[in-house]
Amino acid sequence: APSIASASTLQSSTSVRDTAVPAIGLCAASSMVAETSDALSQSENVVRLLGLFKEARAGGFAQCDEELWDLFRLSQKVRLHCDRLRAPVAFTSQAVDSVCSQLAGRLGELGRQDQAELQPQEQAAMDEVAAKEAAAEVVLQRHAAATARLAAAQAVTAADESRLAELQAERDVLMLPTETLCAQATAAIRAMHRAFVDELRSYARPPPSAQRTLYPVCILFRGTGLHADVFQIWQLTTPTSAQDDPPTWPQTRALLCRDHFFDDLVNFPKDRVPDEVLPELQALLYDPHHSEEDSRHASEACLAAHAWAKAVLQYALIRKQHRPVMERCDEAGNKLARSRAEEAASLAVVAAEQEAVAAVTAELNEARARFAK
């Protein structure tokens, strides 16, 4: 009777749809199922025992007849009781199944609600991670391209440096004799004492051999374009003279009277001597009618100027002879300068891309951390 009452109570409670009530009903139903199952098991044991007594009576145990009949009647009552218990047990099992189904449905509904609430945030986080990954891929591709360009620029620079070194070595071998000529020119300047130059400056009308000796010096200065102001003065003082006419003594004296005349000789741009003046210089410096001894008789300063001009002429002739090598060397030097500039620009791009890679990697890690949360 208590089991049946509990089953009725459980049946009335299963109509409730709240989450807490099915949980309570499930506990009660589980307890009642265990309790009813024990009672049913004990009743069935009694029925089996009475069946054994019935078999014993059929075997001839007459002295137990009355007791066996009593027990048999009791077994019938127990059997009826068992039949009555089976229905509550079946109902209780159904109630348990119903409660479990309700709990499963409620939990599924709560899960779907939570998923519906989290899905927009999760999708946004996933979209952010995907966008950061795409941006990182673009930056990495740019960095790889910049690194490849830098490697190519470095290879070009190395090749240009090697080519320039080869040409410079060839040039140095070819221009080795000019070192002796430069030393001769320096020695000639040292031999040109100031007192001797002051003597030449003081001449209103110098000896013809002195003026003839100093012509090559004036031609070298005029040919390289050094001291353009002096040449302009010459043209103003002698408007009828042409650019190619031999300089007059006032023009030569104006050059000698410059304050930095000796420094001009030391720093003379020998590489800028034009080819057009070389034949005239050769004719003047190697004139059979004018020897070094004639220059010595004119002045010690004239002899030193003659030696200086001859050394500069020889330097210019050697340079002209090997000009193709000089030009290739200059071209290689210019190309190397351009290659180094391109390498520096590529290196700057790679550095900028490395900073971009670090920044986008940090952003991607932050986005992944937010998605993980």
Side-chain angles (χ1 to χ4, degrees), residues 238-320:
T238 57
T240 58
S241 63
Q243 181 68 21
D244 296 335
D245 291 343
T248 61
W249 176 247
Q251 298 167 347
T252 305
R253 187 170 178 270
L255 181 62
L256 293 175
C257 290
R258 291 186 60 85
D259 294 335
H260 303 288
F261 175 68
F262 289 95
D263 294 336
D264 293 339
L265 293 176
V266 173
N267 301 318
F268 185 79
K270 298 182 291 297
D271 297 335
R272 288 167 47 187
V273 177
D275 296 342
E276 292 77 10
V277 302
L278 296 182
E280 184 179 4
L281 288 174
Q282 285 181 295
L284 291 172
L285 292 173
Y286 293 96
D287 186 358
H289 303 290
H290 185 82
S291 62
E292 292 185 4
E293 193 63 27
D294 295 333
S295 299
R296 186 189 302 275
H297 289 161
S299 171
E300 290 292 335
C302 290
L303 179 61
H306 180 83
W308 178 85
K310 184 175 287 189
V312 173
L313 172 62
Q314 292 297 326
Y315 182 94
L317 289 174
I318 293 175
R319 184 174 177 82
K320 179 183 178 181

Side-chain angles (χ1 to χ4, degrees), residues 4 8 25 37 78 110 137 151 173 196 205 219 264 286 330:
I4 296 175
S8 301
S37 297
V78 171
L110 291 175
E137 183 65 23
V173 171
F196 299 150
R205 290 184 178 180
I219 292 174
D264 293 339
Y286 293 96
D330 294 340

Side-chain angles (χ1 to χ4, degrees), residues 41-60:
S41 176
Q42 293 174 5
S43 299
E44 290 176 348
N45 289 335
V46 172
V47 171
R48 284 195 296 270
L49 180 61
L50 293 177
L52 293 175
F53 277 105
K54 183 178 180 182
E55 292 176 0
R57 180 176 176 277

Side-chain angles (χ1 to χ4, degrees), residues 106-188:
R106 180 58 178 166
L107 290 175
E109 182 180 355
L110 291 175
R112 287 189 295 273
Q113 290 179 357
D114 294 339
Q115 186 177 6
E117 293 176 357
L118 293 177
Q119 188 173 5
Q121 300 177 2
E122 182 179 358
Q123 187 63 38
M126 291 177 62
D127 293 342
E128 182 183 9
V129 170
K132 297 299 182 183
E133 288 178 346
E137 183 65 23
V138 172
V139 173
L140 288 174
Q141 290 178 357
R142 289 205 314 264
H143 180 268
T147 303
R149 288 193 298 270
L150 175 60
Q154 290 174 341
V156 172
T157 301
D160 291 342
E161 288 176 348
S162 177
R163 177 59 177 166
L164 179 60
E166 294 175 359
L167 291 174
Q168 286 177 341
E170 182 181 0
R171 179 200 62 187
D172 293 343
V173 171
L174 296 175
M175 297 298 289
L176 187 61
T178 62
E179 295 182 2
T180 303
L181 296 174
C182 292
Q184 293 175 0
T186 303

Side-chain angles (χ1 to χ4, degrees), residues 2 18-19 25 43 57 75-76 81 89 132 194 196 199-201 222 224 239 246 251 265 267 278 288 292 329 368:
D18 190 74
T19 306
S43 299
R57 180 176 176 277
S75 69
Q76 295 298 322
H81 180 64
V89 168
K132 297 299 182 183
R194 186 175 296 276
F196 299 150
E199 180 184 359
L200 291 174
R201 290 171 178 171
R222 185 174 63 184
T224 56
Q251 298 167 347
L265 293 176
N267 301 318
L278 296 182
E292 292 185 4
C329 190
R368 285 174 174 172

Side-chain angles (χ1 to χ4, degrees), residues 89-112:
V89 168
F91 171 76
T92 304
S93 298
Q94 294 176 359
V96 169
D97 294 339
S98 176
V99 171
C100 289
S101 177
Q102 293 177 25
L103 283 175
R106 180 58 178 166
L107 290 175
E109 182 180 355
L110 291 175
R112 287 189 295 273

